[in-house]
Amino acid sequence: LIIGYTEEKSGITKRMEVSRLCHYSGQVIAAIFHFMDQIVDCMEAALQEELFLVYYQPKHDLRSNKTGGAEALVRWTHPDYGFMNPGMFIPMFEENGFIKHMDAYIREETCRMLSECKEKGYPLIPVSVNISRRDFEEEDFVESIIALTEKYGLEHSLLHLEVTESCYVDNPEKI
């Protein structure tokens, strides 16, 4: 059983929390750290090369039978690992602070998409974007959200901010 195994490496705290593990292997731990190092090593390039893809999951109201919004979800098409589940990289990004850059990218892409839809005359629905605990560390966070919606000529009500669980657990007083 390994609980709370930590090691400071590559500027982030690496944790492995396993509820049931029958066999301890240093090779497994080494492989996990190698994987994490590879993710951290290429995260900035992936953002610049737009390898993080934003997908929009509709929020459909069954009572009215209408789509009333969407949620922006990020996926990463990694050159070596392919299509990656966010659970494989989001926790690392929250630990090392890179989540702020990825969140900003997702907000920008979402506003750009909404603006394109507006220009084409499509009906607009609000889109929720996740806000992490690291976003709350920024002094001008609220102002940056307002500036972003204004940059794209959008009503503020079109960009919904969804507070992540980690944000609430770590900073309930700031919510």
Side-chain angles (χ1 to χ4, degrees):
L1 183 64
I2 302 171
I3 299 178
Y5 179 86
T6 62
E7 178 178 329
E8 187 65 34
K9 192 172 184 181
S10 301
I12 65 171
T13 302
K14 298 182 180 184
R15 288 185 226 159
M16 183 176 171
E17 297 180 13
V18 180
S19 60
R20 295 178 189 162
L21 184 63
C22 297
H23 175 72
Y24 169 77
S25 168
Q27 290 175 323
V28 171
I29 299 298
I32 290 169
F33 285 158
H34 177 72
F35 168 77
M36 294 170 83
D37 284 343
Q38 287 185 310
I39 297 302
V40 170
D41 288 346
C42 66
M43 64 189 184
E44 290 182 26
L47 189 62
Q48 292 172 358
E49 296 169 18
E50 299 181 351
L51 297 179
F52 293 107
L53 304 175
V54 181
Y55 290 86
Y56 301 97
Q57 178 175 305
K59 294 180 181 180
H60 195 77
D61 185 338
L62 294 176
R63 285 179 239 147
S64 67
N65 199 28
K66 293 183 180 178
T67 301
E71 181 178 1
L73 304 173
V74 66
R75 299 296 183 264
W76 185 1
T77 304
H78 190 278
D80 296 326
Y81 300 112
F83 194 76
M84 291 178 56
N85 181 305
M88 297 175 75
F89 56 90
I90 296 287
M92 284 185 274
F93 293 176
E94 286 180 338
E95 280 293 319
N96 69 14
F98 187 73
I99 194 76
K100 291 187 294 189
H101 303 291
M102 192 177 69
D103 284 351
Y105 171 79
I106 293 166
R107 289 190 300 270
E108 183 89 27
E109 286 298 302
T110 298
C111 287
R112 184 190 55 72
M113 180 275 303
L114 285 167
S115 178
E116 287 177 8
C117 289
K118 181 180 174 181
E119 287 176 16
K120 293 177 180 178
Y122 297 153
L124 298 179
I125 58 173
V127 179
S128 300
V129 294
N130 285 334
I131 304 302
S132 72
R133 63 187 166 104
R134 297 288 188 152
D135 291 319
F136 277 98
E137 295 171 358
E138 300 294 319
E139 289 183 28
D140 64 342
F141 176 68
V142 173
E143 292 82 4
S144 71
I145 299 293
I146 292 168
L148 184 62
T149 55
E150 290 175 355
K151 171 183 172 181
Y152 286 96
L154 300 172
E155 295 293 323
H156 300 248
S157 62
L158 287 173
L159 189 65
H160 288 189
L161 306 180
E162 191 169 302
V163 178
T164 62
E165 293 82 6
S166 67
C167 182
Y168 182 75
V169 169
D170 293 346
N171 298 306
E173 67 282 350
K174 286 189 177 182
I175 307 294

